[in-house]
Amino acid sequence: MTVFQFIRNYYLLPPSSLNETHQWREQVLSAILFFVLALGSATAIPSIVLAISENLWSVVVVDIFALIWVATIWRLPFLNYRQRAWNFLLFLYLLGVWFLIKVGLTGLIYLMAFPVLTSLLLNLRHAMQALFLSALSLLVVGYLADPSLHVYGFDSHPFLRLVIVTINFTFIAAVMAISCGVLLQRLDGSLEQQRVIAASLQLGQSSLRMANEELRLIVAAVARLNDMVMIIHVDADAIGKRRLKIVFVNDAFVHQTGFSSIEVIDRSPVFLQGPRTQPEELDRLNHALITCESVHIELICYTRDGNEFWMEADVVPLANDAGQYTHWVATGRDISERKKAQEHIHRLAYFDVLTGLPNRRLLLDRMSILLATARRSNMFSAVLFIDLDHFKYINDARGHAVGDALLIQVAGRLSQSLREVDTVAHIGGDEFVVLLCHVSNDVTVGAHAAQAVAEKIRHTISQFFDINSLQYNVTCSIGITLLPRENQGAHDLLREADTAMFRAKSCGRNQIAFYETGMQSEVEQRLTVERELSEAISGGQLQMHIQPQVDRMGKPVGGEMLMRWTHPERGPISPAIFIPVAEESGMILRLGDWVMEQGCLALLQLEQAGWDIPLSVNVSPKQFRQVDFVEKVKQVLKNTGAPPARLILEVTEGLLIDNLHDTIARMVELTKLGIRFSIDDFGTGYSSLAYLKKLPLYELKIDRSFVQDTPDDANDTAIVQSILSMASHLGLRVVAEGVETKEQADFLIANGCESMQGFLFARPMPLDKWIAMQKPPSQPLQGVMPDAMSAVMSDITPTMTPAITPADTWLASSQ
């Protein structure tokens, strides 16, 4: 390499490695070695010739050795950089010591170059070590060799003279070495910073390209979403008033509303509102806009043609880099069909198909609400149970069409005779119930007011009815009960009013009777049940029975664990008696823990018997809402070793009314363990499609009240069909409860019901007894398919004989 090539490479070609300083040091070392070898050769050859002529053979040897050493360092390929550097620095040091011994002051130059070049070629720490070695060498070698060092004023003190020289030498060498080292450190830091900046810029460019590509894909995807997307810009004028302006809508929005994107851009979204748009939902939306919070709304909107549709939307605020909320993103979908289906199911579940009046379920719901408000307000209300006298004669004589027309007119007259706050319900057949709200705050005045309304109704019903140009005359018997009273529930009100109505009929019909009862006897009976139930929990009087769930072939595919109480003196006690007592007294928590443990042990017992089927256990709302409920379930599973995937927890719809967010969180935590959830008595509570899509559900259980009148009752038949259809679309398993007849089973199977449970197949019984009665799981069981139902019925054991019994009889037989 020539000098010009080195200068071109060193000064014009930037290093390409990540460690530029190291490369530069290598280049500096190569350049120094090159110049040392070139200049040393130029000076050493004359020196060698002169030394030979003067017989200075030591100088000859040193010069020749120095040239060979430098050439070796420069050209040997097996030496790495540090080895070459240390060899060269050692060369300088030894040369300086030699010159100090032989020549004198000349050695100081080489000794000073030793730490300076160490700082340049290696680092500052090694330079300080080299400086210390040079200074020590100067002091020791100078003292021993006694070179001619002249220091004014100290010529008579050789050692002090040498110390002063050494101190000055060290000072100057340190300044030069530190300056060189710091300069290289700063240069190294600057280069590293530049490298980081360059890498950051390169990464930023790559990220920008990726972000642009991602943005392009997002825009394309959003534009083609099935959900409507609307981006709204928020402007604030000088007085702080917010103005909303649409800046983007996707294709789904254009398709749904009929407005083109050109028509809506820069407009306020108020054009979507109309006459039936709910003000309360708009208030929620405006409040969210003011507080910059996300909101979920269900709003009636209008298309360009004025047609209304239901839109479910999630509105989310977006902030800029400064933290200011400048835009809103609304993602919506058309839920009109879902709302129609929900409204249809609601009307089927809560309103009578014939008269349009509230049915028994809605009546009980309103009674429960009225009971709660009456206890708080101390206002008395009344329930009137109305039964048409000899209505069966009209049905038999003129047919059901005339009877239905008469019922419709009776419903109309009752509705016109009452206040708007009152309720009139048709609970079946020729039975109507009137709920009179807050008639008085005095019981005597309230009783007289209720009797006056009953007389008015009796008079109204006794007027002739014109049906198909024929006159019909009917009378009615009315039973009255007042509320509230202690321990009085909605079912109690119906029972009391019904009892009073029968008393009116027994008195000759077309009469009015009040309910009378002994309050003390009822209270004592309830306290007795509560006390004995507490003893039963600790005394081992409770047992868990299984009632299997079968498929259309009659094969058990699951089972429900039901609690039974056998009193040592009074015998079996109905769950309908002690479960409400346990709920109100708080003992349901102890019962719930016991039931959970028994259900897990039953799973193990089934597994040992070869039955790999799930079991359902009931969980009360009070038990589910306990803070440690999830931990208790985990602990029971851990203690028993039961498989959580075969455990189904049955909850009622009432659980979902309060604190839905917390309920969902607990259910999700349990489903992660493998546990599944079932909605018990579906349709009798607050059935809503909204929570069905939010909850991690596995199963719906159709209440027996819907099943018992199928397929003869058109109302219940339609409800069951709607539930089955809805569950199919939502991917939920369905179990029909209370199947007692072949006709009910045929109807359910024909409509796609996957699983059935009821007396037609088996009554609740101890688990070991049920296992003993079954064939091995590997053998097919006799089915209950419609075409083979009669054959199956002939093989059912006496304990499985189907029967349709009154409610009281069923409660007694199922214990």
Side-chain angles (χ1 to χ4, degrees), residues 325-381:
Y325 290 97
T326 59
H327 291 79
W328 289 81
V329 177
T331 306
R333 58 209 60 86
D334 183 6
I335 58 171
S336 300
E337 292 300 322
R338 194 182 82 191
K339 282 292 183 179
K340 289 179 182 177
Q342 186 173 344
E343 183 179 356
H344 179 62
I345 291 179
H346 182 268
R347 289 202 61 83
L348 288 175
Y350 292 101
F351 291 88
D352 178 56
V353 175
L354 177 63
T355 63
L357 297 175
N359 61 11
R360 178 188 295 268
R361 299 176 187 89
L362 182 54
L363 175 66
L364 291 172
D365 183 35
R366 292 185 179 179
M367 282 182 174
S368 299
I369 296 174
L370 182 59
L371 277 168
T373 57
R375 291 189 178 106
R376 290 195 300 267
S377 62
N378 294 322
M379 290 290 292
F380 287 93
S381 301

Side-chain angles (χ1 to χ4, degrees), residues 227 256 278 281 296-300 308-314 331-347 660 687-695 722 725-727 729-730:
D227 287 352
Q256 176 63 35
Q278 309 94 307
E281 287 294 282
H296 178 86
I297 57 173
E298 292 184 359
L299 205 63
I300 296 178
E308 67 177 40
F309 67 95
W310 276 90
M311 180 175 69
E312 179 187 52
D314 294 290
T331 306
R333 58 209 60 86
D334 183 6
I335 58 171
S336 300
E337 292 300 322
R338 194 182 82 191
K339 282 292 183 179
K340 289 179 182 177
Q342 186 173 344
E343 183 179 356
H344 179 62
I345 291 179
H346 182 268
R347 289 202 61 83
L660 181 60
S687 304
S688 171
L689 294 178
Y691 73 70
L692 287 183
K693 71 173 187 176
K694 295 179 181 178
L695 296 174
S722 298
S725 176
M726 177 193 63
H729 287 294
L730 294 177

Side-chain angles (χ1 to χ4, degrees), residues 409-548:
Q409 292 193 26
V410 169
R413 290 188 184 183
L414 289 174
S415 299
Q416 294 172 3
S417 303
L418 301 172
R419 302 170 298 173
E420 291 185 1
V421 296
D422 299 328
T423 298
V424 58
H426 182 216
I427 63 173
D430 59 346
E431 296 176 338
F432 294 85
V433 174
V434 171
L435 190 59
L436 299 178
C437 300
H438 305 314
V439 291
S440 176
N441 59 1
D442 181 79
V443 63
T444 304
V445 177
H448 286 298
Q451 185 171 11
V453 174
E455 287 288 356
K456 180 181 178 181
I457 291 174
R458 189 168 67 90
H459 175 73
T460 300
I461 298 298
S462 65
Q463 304 300 311
F464 284 97
F465 291 90
D466 189 347
I467 302 175
N468 298 330
S469 301
L470 295 176
Q471 300 291 318
Y472 294 90
N473 176 255
V474 294
T475 59
C476 63
S477 300
I478 304 176
I480 306 174
T481 186
L482 297 179
L483 66 112
R485 292 201 302 269
E486 188 178 0
N487 298 323
Q488 192 177 41
H491 290 280
D492 298 326
L493 288 172
L494 274 184
R495 176 179 54 78
E496 293 170 3
D498 190 17
T499 302
M501 184 272 297
F502 275 106
R503 185 180 300 175
K505 279 189 176 293
S506 64
C507 293
R509 291 183 171 84
N510 195 23
Q511 300 291 324
I512 300 172
F514 276 84
Y515 177 76
E516 298 175 0
T517 184
M519 295 291 295
Q520 187 63 32
S521 61
E522 293 182 2
V523 174
E524 290 178 355
Q525 180 181 4
R526 188 172 191 84
L527 290 175
T528 300
V529 172
E530 183 176 342
R531 185 185 68 256
E532 292 180 345
L533 179 59
S534 178
E535 297 173 355
I537 296 175
S538 56
Q541 300 175 20
L542 300 176
Q543 302 90 30
M544 293 299 293
H545 288 193
I546 184 174
Q547 187 173 31

Side-chain angles (χ1 to χ4, degrees), residues 202-337:
Q202 185 177 6
L203 181 62
Q205 291 177 352
S206 176
S207 300
L208 183 60
R209 286 194 298 269
M210 294 175 61
N212 288 334
E213 178 63 17
E214 184 179 358
L215 181 60
R216 184 185 68 81
L217 295 175
I218 290 175
V219 171
V222 169
R224 292 165 175 79
L225 277 177
N226 291 329
D227 287 352
M228 294 175 282
V229 177
M230 179 169 53
I231 301 178
I232 304 166
H233 182 258
V234 182
D235 267 335
D237 55 20
I239 60 175
K241 184 178 180 181
R242 294 173 176 265
R243 293 187 297 109
L244 305 181
K245 183 173 62 177
I246 297 175
V247 296
F248 173 82
V249 293
N250 68 345
D251 297 342
F253 179 92
V254 173
H255 176 74
Q256 176 63 35
T257 64
F259 292 97
S260 66
S261 58
I262 298 176
E263 291 178 292
V264 302
I265 296 299
D266 292 334
R267 291 182 62 184
S268 173
V270 295
F271 65 86
L272 293 173
Q273 301 174 18
R276 295 186 64 236
T277 302
Q278 309 94 307
E280 60 276 8
E281 287 294 282
L282 293 177
D283 291 341
R284 290 180 60 239
L285 180 59
N286 291 330
H287 181 267
L289 294 177
I290 294 173
T291 57
C292 295
E293 297 177 347
S294 301
V295 64
H296 178 86
I297 57 173
E298 292 184 359
L299 205 63
I300 296 178
C301 298
Y302 289 82
T303 66
R304 194 174 191 276
D305 298 331
N307 299 321
E308 67 177 40
F309 67 95
W310 276 90
M311 180 175 69
E312 179 187 52
D314 294 290
V315 186
V316 180
L318 293 181
N320 58 17
D321 294 337
Q324 298 176 341
Y325 290 97
T326 59
H327 291 79
W328 289 81
V329 177
T331 306
R333 58 209 60 86
D334 183 6
I335 58 171
S336 300
E337 292 300 322

Side-chain angles (χ1 to χ4, degrees), residues 562-573:
L562 301 172
M563 188 185 301
R564 293 296 180 260
W565 178 14
T566 303
H567 193 277
E569 297 177 0
R570 294 192 287 142
I573 299 178

Side-chain angles (χ1 to χ4, degrees), residues 126-140:
H126 289 108
M128 293 298 99
Q129 296 172 354
L131 177 62
F132 174 78
L133 181 61
S134 294
L136 182 64
S137 300
L138 174 61
L139 185 63
V140 174

